[in-house]
Amino acid sequence: MDITRDIKYIGVNDHQIDLFEGQYIVPNGMAYNSYAIIDEKIAVMDSVDARFKDEWLSNIKTALNGREPDYLIVQHMEPDHSANISAFMAAYPNAVMVATAKAFVMLQNFYLESYAHRRIEVKEGDTLSLGKHTLSFVTAPMVHWPEVMVTYDSLDKVLFSADAFGKFGALDVEEDWACEARRYYIGIVGKYGAQVQALLKKADALEINTICPLHGPVLKDNLEYYIGLYNIWSSYETESEGVVIAYTSVYGNTKKAVELLENKLKEAGCKKVAVNDLARCDMAEAVEDAFRYGKIVLATTTYNSDIFPFMKEFINHLTERNFQNKTVGIIENGSWAPTAAKVIKEMLEKSKNITFADTEIKIMSALSEENKQQLEALAKELA
Ligand code: FEO
């Protein structure tokens, strides 16, 4: 696949994977993107997951049509992109690896290699000429790891964006970009909004026609749409109007409260209510929803003088990703000493700009008449 006249796609699709990065389900697989820039000199951009060594080396061979690559540019050392560096360097003994100083430290730690005489260490603003194409390196620490850089080709106006603008899903499956890009972004980079904002500022100074990420499709048209979403996500602003309800229920009573609240919210004019049963849903999808909408209701039971484990895990996922700028409603259930609301508030204590709804709901086992009225009041308050 040609991205431009001189840039070819040489990545792979993975439909064997069960969990990406050991935790994310990827029903439509995963793509590990790699690109070849063919000029007087040839640069290969990043490698792919270990399991696709032969396919990737074969893709390189086909794309290069008898020529040999001069450079392997490694923008990110996470093994989904770095695992085949050694195979590449063995297959092309004259090639030189290009990466940041931090990446070379990781190279030693992961693969016990240094390529001391076959490396170019680059930093912010350094350039590499391939002939007509000049590549500029832009550091992007913590998008997604500290060693990350992105690369700009000023001739074709292409930004090789590393993990930024990536998504779950292989490239041979048609699916909505935003849904799986958001789940990927919030899950993997969500904590590092400030660093993504810094990268967006640097990118703003470049004229970009095409974004080539390490996962997901190459983006060519309507780039403002993708950059706009990245701006919303990394600044923790509300993307969509609506209310998320995240809940756990042991005997079904908390679930009844959630169903009643969902109906009341819709009656009150709320167009979108996203409901997630945290014991059964994809946790990453629930976390994604929590960041997407501006209002969230947490409904859970007291458990071991604490809160139910799935809710605890969920809130931990939120706070460790800098959850902020939300209105939060709480429904707690407890048969003798409800403490869930107190625990939730304590867990969110350090989160910035959290406003708790005025209506607080305490269920003592099953829904009382008073609880039903409170649910109506909460629905009106949030809608
Ligand atoms: Fe796709 Fe952070 O590796």
Side-chain angles (χ1 to χ4, degrees):
M1 179 171 69
D2 291 351
I3 311 296
T4 67
R5 206 190 60 183
D6 300 331
I7 301 177
K8 293 182 192 304
Y9 182 83
I10 50 170
V12 298
N13 285 318
D14 181 358
H15 286 289
Q16 305 158 14
I17 188 167
D18 64 340
L19 291 175
F20 181 66
E21 292 186 1
Q23 61 172 317
Y24 299 102
I25 58 161
V26 280
N28 288 332
M30 202 64 204
Y32 313 110
N33 297 340
S34 172
Y35 307 90
I37 309 171
I38 299 171
D39 199 340
E40 287 163 34
K41 302 267 187 188
I42 294 176
V44 168
M45 304 297 299
D46 297 288
S47 87
V48 300
D49 185 88
R51 289 169 292 122
F52 297 89
K53 179 182 85 177
D54 294 341
E55 187 180 339
W56 179 61
L57 290 176
S58 154
N59 289 352
I60 294 173
K61 208 169 174 188
T62 307
L64 269 48
N65 200 18
R67 292 182 62 191
E68 297 229 329
D70 298 277
Y71 303 109
L72 175 62
I73 296 176
V74 177
Q75 303 183 104
H76 182 18
M77 279 300 294
E78 198 169 9
D80 51 335
H81 312 293
S82 68
N84 286 306
I85 292 173
S86 311
F88 177 96
M89 296 298 269
Y92 299 107
N94 296 318
V96 169
M97 177 175 158
V98 180
T100 60
K102 283 197 174 88
F104 283 113
V105 173
M106 289 181 176
L107 179 77
Q108 182 68 45
N109 294 344
F110 267 113
Y111 305 110
L112 314 178
E113 296 275 13
S114 68
Y115 302 119
H117 305 292
R118 298 174 62 193
R119 65 195 249 177
I120 299 175
E121 205 175 284
V122 291
K123 57 184 188 321
E124 178 80 18
D126 283 356
T127 58
L128 179 71
S129 172
L130 302 179
K132 299 190 301 301
H133 294 261
T134 299
L135 304 179
S136 316
F137 303 108
V138 177
T139 54
M142 302 322 293
V143 187
H144 151 226
W145 278 12
E147 85 295 2
V148 171
M149 64 178 187
V150 301
T151 305
Y152 180 65
D153 170 17
S154 54
L155 184 68
D156 287 349
K157 300 187 175 23
V158 172
L159 180 70
F160 296 91
S161 62
D163 274 346
F165 299 99
K167 69 181 269 298
F168 296 128
L171 298 189
D172 52 3
V173 180
E174 283 276 331
E175 64 179 358
D176 177 58
W177 185 86
C179 186
E180 284 297 70
R182 188 190 302 104
R183 189 168 71 95
Y184 171 86
Y185 172 86
I186 301 292
I188 287 168
V189 201
K191 178 182 175 66
Y192 301 108
Q195 289 82 350
V196 174
Q197 283 280 307
L199 176 60
L200 290 178
K201 281 208 179 72
K202 291 182 188 179
D204 197 38
L206 305 171
E207 193 187 338
I208 300 170
N209 289 345
T210 305
I211 296 176
C212 290
L214 287 177
H215 303 288
V218 170
L219 307 173
K220 283 191 171 199
D221 302 315
N222 201 11
L223 293 186
E224 318 79 63
Y225 168 74
Y226 305 103
I227 293 168
L229 283 177
Y230 254 64
N231 194 28
I232 291 171
W233 298 340
S234 56
S235 53
Y236 304 94
E237 296 301 330
T238 297
E239 180 189 345
S240 307
E241 286 305 318
V243 178
V244 189
I245 309 176
Y247 77 98
T248 64
S249 188
V250 185
Y251 311 112
N253 290 308
T254 311
K255 184 177 182 179
K256 271 189 195 146
V258 166
E259 287 167 350
L260 190 57
L261 178 65
E262 183 184 6
N263 290 336
K264 295 288 176 196
L265 280 165
K266 286 177 181 162
E267 278 171 29
C270 191
K271 285 196 182 69
K272 176 68 190 178
V273 185
V275 180
N276 290 303
D277 173 352
L278 298 176
R280 293 176 178 82
C281 70
D282 167 22
M283 187 61 83
E285 192 85 39
V287 171
E288 174 197 345
D289 278 346
F291 281 87
R292 177 177 184 174
Y293 299 98
K295 298 165 189 174
I296 184 165
V297 176
L298 303 170
T300 194
T301 44
T302 300
Y303 192 79
N304 290 335
S305 306
D306 205 312
I307 50 173
F308 206 62
F310 298 101
M311 180 60 80
K312 193 166 191 171
E313 184 193 340
F314 177 65
I315 297 174
N316 280 335
H317 278 299
L318 302 186
T319 53
E320 71 194 23
R321 288 172 175 76
N322 278 328
F323 191 65
Q324 55 187 277
N325 302 337
K326 304 290 172 188
T327 300
V328 179
I330 299 175
I331 301 172
E332 67 173 342
N333 198 343
S335 297
W336 59 94
T339 55
K342 181 171 161 277
V343 173
I344 289 172
K345 284 186 174 169
E346 283 168 4
M347 289 183 80
L348 293 175
E349 220 161 40
K350 290 195 182 127
S351 300
K352 279 190 278 182
N353 196 18
I354 300 290
T355 308
F356 290 100
D358 291 334
T359 315
E360 292 189 358
I361 302 172
K362 188 191 297 287
I363 304 168
M364 297 295 293
S365 298
L367 278 180
S368 65
E369 279 312 311
E370 189 192 2
N371 289 152
K372 289 177 188 170
Q373 285 165 14
Q374 289 167 333
L375 286 165
E376 181 144 16
L378 179 62
K380 284 191 177 138
E381 198 185 332
L382 293 177

